Amino acid sequence: MNDPEIRALLYPLLTGGVHINELPTGTTRADVVHITEHFMHGYEVKGDGDTLQRVANQLRCYGEVYDFVTFIVTEKHLAKLLPLLPEWVGVHVAAPGGLRVHRAACYNATVAPAPLAKLILLEEVKQFLLARGLAGASTLRGAEIGRFLRTTNLVPLSALAQYVRQRLMARLPERLLMRAERKAERERLPPRRKPKARRKKSAAKKKARAV
């Protein structure tokens, strides 16, 4: 099974909230993220044609920001994947008939404020900090905000996580609208004409011209 086939099995199971494909997460992208008012669940899909080379980095990035993490793999990858994952990470096995839960995801206690804040725009983070009375936040750069969030006790993780979920959920309709507008614009443009293929000159003509 390939990635699109597995995602088609996953989408109907994501009830409530929204789901976002290819969400930038740390130094990677989460295949699918299910976001509700109460949690974020990151899914990584490994089809038959994929490898497990990036699992360590993906797990590190997802573990910093998502309340639940699940890897969805085909039977081909299951035996090699399990030793790479901690017990709290869920594992589903994909087959043509559907997804089988090999191990349900448990709550992730390793979420950190600084990586979590990077899921949204810098200006949005500043607005969050300003709303909590941190007046100097408007002048801070990204790296400075990261250091602040790693060391402060003034920003509850639960409040920041709720704000991040709200912003990501609100942004999805904007993304869908922009996608529809781009599609409509492409349809308004006249079709591009394919350049005419140049006919190859025969050897006789080349020889005649050389003479």
Side-chain angles (χ1 to χ4, degrees):
M1 295 188 69
N2 59 30
D3 185 291
E5 292 172 332
I6 296 173
R7 294 190 194 215
L9 297 175
L10 172 62
Y11 293 150
L13 306 179
L14 306 180
T15 57
V18 303
H19 68 266
I20 298 177
N21 292 305
E22 306 299 331
L23 182 63
T25 306
T27 58
T28 186
R29 289 176 178 266
D31 284 335
V32 181
V33 181
H34 182 204
I35 306 172
T36 74
E37 295 181 358
H38 306 291
F39 66 81
M40 289 195 293
H41 194 150
Y43 291 89
E44 178 61 31
V45 175
K46 299 293 185 185
D48 287 327
D50 295 322
T51 71
L52 304 181
Q53 294 178 353
R54 297 186 297 149
V55 167
N57 183 56
Q58 290 166 334
L59 180 60
R60 178 185 62 80
C61 294
Y62 300 170
E64 291 178 333
V65 297
Y66 298 132
D67 304 293
F68 300 94
V69 175
T70 294
F71 278 68
I72 305 178
V73 299
T74 57
E75 193 70 42
K76 169 186 175 180
H77 296 302
L78 183 62
K80 292 183 179 180
L81 176 70
L82 290 176
L84 304 178
L85 303 179
E87 289 294 324
W88 60 268
V89 177
V91 178
H92 293 183
V93 180
L99 299 181
R100 172 173 60 85
V101 179
H102 179 84
R103 184 172 75 200
C106 298
Y107 179 74
N108 170 26
T110 64
V111 174
L116 181 63
K118 289 185 177 181
L119 290 180
I120 58 177
L121 302 175
L122 178 59
E123 289 303 316
E124 292 175 322
V125 180
K126 290 182 179 181
Q127 291 173 10
F128 170 78
L129 295 177
L130 289 171
R132 300 192 66 84
L134 301 171
S138 60
T139 62
L140 297 179
R141 297 182 179 181
E144 294 171 326
I145 287 180
R147 286 194 294 269
F148 173 75
L149 290 175
R150 283 191 292 270
T151 57
T152 186
N153 293 320
L154 300 176
V155 180
L157 178 61
S158 59
L160 176 61
Q162 182 181 24
Y163 179 76
V164 170
R165 293 193 298 268
Q166 290 173 346
R167 293 310 309 145
L168 290 175
M169 291 177 69
R171 195 174 301 154
L172 182 61
E174 298 172 3
R175 291 181 178 181
L176 294 177
L177 178 61
M178 291 177 62
R179 188 180 304 171
E181 290 175 347
R182 288 196 297 267
K183 181 179 179 181
E185 181 64 24
R186 289 195 299 269
E187 291 175 349
R188 285 195 296 267
L189 295 174
R192 294 182 178 179
R193 294 182 178 180
K194 294 183 179 180
K196 295 182 179 180
R198 295 181 178 178
R199 296 180 179 178
K200 294 182 179 180
K201 296 180 180 179
S202 65
K205 287 184 178 180
K206 288 182 180 179
K207 185 177 181 180
R209 180 172 294 180
V211 173

